[in-house]
Amino acid sequence: ETGVTQTPRHLVMGMTNKKSLKCEQHLGHNAMYWYKQSAKKPLELMFVYSLEERVENNSVPSRFSPECPNSSHLFLHLHTLQPEDSALYLCASSQDRGRIDTGELFFGEGSRLTVL
Amino acid sequence: QKEVEQNSGPLSVPEGAIASLNCTYSDRGSQSFFWYRQYSGKSPELIMFIYSNGDKEDGRFTAQLNKASQYVSLLIRDSQPSDSATYLCAVNGASKIIFGSGTRLSIRP
């Protein structure tokens, strides 16, 4: 079993749809992250949750809505997306946000999103 | 100016040679520097981190840091085909990790 699991692995949606991405970590970590990875662009940090509290919202459009019900689960709710939102969405976790200086982020396999 | 810059490549290196990957960063206050490896279709994984000026060695990998010049590099000795991947440089800044766009490395047999 991988440490960080993301579902679905692939998602195709229309601009008027509402869908959600799910992330679950089995590492006992208490910080979780959403990153966006587009072709030839750096990984973009979207949201950070530490102890279920959102501590970072990196100027992400409101059509992306995160939810962290507990320290093991993280969701990204999607609605009225645009074609330019098509990308790989990566979830990551770390031991605690105070350890972020070690850079030990553990990534899931990602959810490949295509918006038509 | 990009916060973390890398040459996108591809960098092609013959098997057994040394692969040299470079990265520059803009925030002089950065304290921690990381190299992640990402195989095609897979997620990034941390392979090296370095905090102090100089070299840090781990097996075939050596990370080099020069804070005065604001660059960090990764050397891979005795390159193997399995080293073919995209290498992401990352720097801590304002309590978050900032990534470069990555360098694609190809090891040719």
Side-chain angles (χ1 to χ4, degrees):
Chain A
E1 182 181 76
T2 58
V4 181
T5 305
Q6 289 187 244
T7 54
R9 295 292 309 279
H10 299 274
L11 178 62
V12 179
M13 59 188 289
M15 289 190 284
T16 58
N17 291 158
K18 288 186 180 181
K19 298 285 184 183
S20 295
L21 306 181
K22 178 183 175 182
C23 176
E24 184 174 359
Q25 59 97 0
H26 311 278
L27 301 169
H29 292 165
N30 54 19
M32 296 186 76
Y33 311 77
W34 279 116
Y35 280 88
K36 176 184 178 183
Q37 188 172 38
S38 304
K40 300 193 187 300
K41 284 182 152 183
L43 276 169
E44 299 173 53
L45 179 63
M46 300 176 72
F47 301 103
V48 181
Y49 278 82
S50 178
L51 296 171
E52 301 150 43
E53 178 187 348
R54 189 190 310 180
V55 294
E56 185 96 27
N57 178 345
N58 215 26
S59 302
V60 179
S62 59
R63 56 187 184 267
F64 295 92
S65 175
E67 179 189 359
C68 186
N70 54 62
S71 59
S72 299
H73 293 86
L74 185 65
F75 295 89
L76 188 63
H77 303 301
L78 316 169
H79 61 99
T80 60
L81 295 191
Q82 304 299 311
E84 60 263 30
D85 296 322
S86 298
L88 180 68
Y89 289 84
L90 288 162
C91 174
S93 70
S94 66
Q95 180 61 33
D96 57 63
R97 198 150 187 269
R99 289 275 306 273
I100 196 168
D101 61 326
T102 69
E104 290 182 281
L105 296 172
F106 293 81
F107 287 90
E109 294 291 335
S111 294
R112 172 71 61 186
L113 173 66
T114 302
V115 181
L116 301 177
Chain B
Q1 181 188 12
K2 291 180 184 176
E3 294 181 89
V4 179
E5 291 208 51
Q6 296 182 255
N7 187 322
S8 62
L11 174 65
S12 181
V13 172
E15 185 175 354
I18 296 175
S20 177
L21 304 161
N22 300 312
C23 169
T24 58
Y25 59 93
S26 60
D27 182 0
R28 281 195 172 276
S30 299
Q31 297 294 318
S32 310
F33 308 86
F34 317 95
W35 285 100
Y36 280 79
R37 178 178 61 201
Q38 186 173 21
Y39 291 114
S40 179
K42 299 292 185 181
S43 55
E45 58 177 332
L46 181 67
I47 55 171
M48 290 285 285
F49 61 88
I50 185 167
Y51 303 145
S52 306
N53 273 332
D55 296 359
K56 178 182 178 182
E57 189 173 316
D58 183 1
R60 296 187 295 111
F61 298 95
T62 299
Q64 299 176 315
L65 174 61
N66 184 323
K67 288 187 178 180
S69 301
Q70 293 177 247
Y71 85 78
V72 58
S73 61
L74 178 70
L75 301 178
I76 306 175
R77 290 182 299 281
D78 187 24
S79 297
Q80 302 297 309
S82 60
D83 295 325
S84 298
T86 295
Y87 289 80
L88 306 175
C89 174
V91 174
N92 83 320
S95 299
K96 64 182 180 184
I97 303 296
I98 300 170
F99 286 84
S101 54
T103 297
R104 189 153 59 91
L105 175 66
S106 176
I107 308 300
R108 56 182 191 271

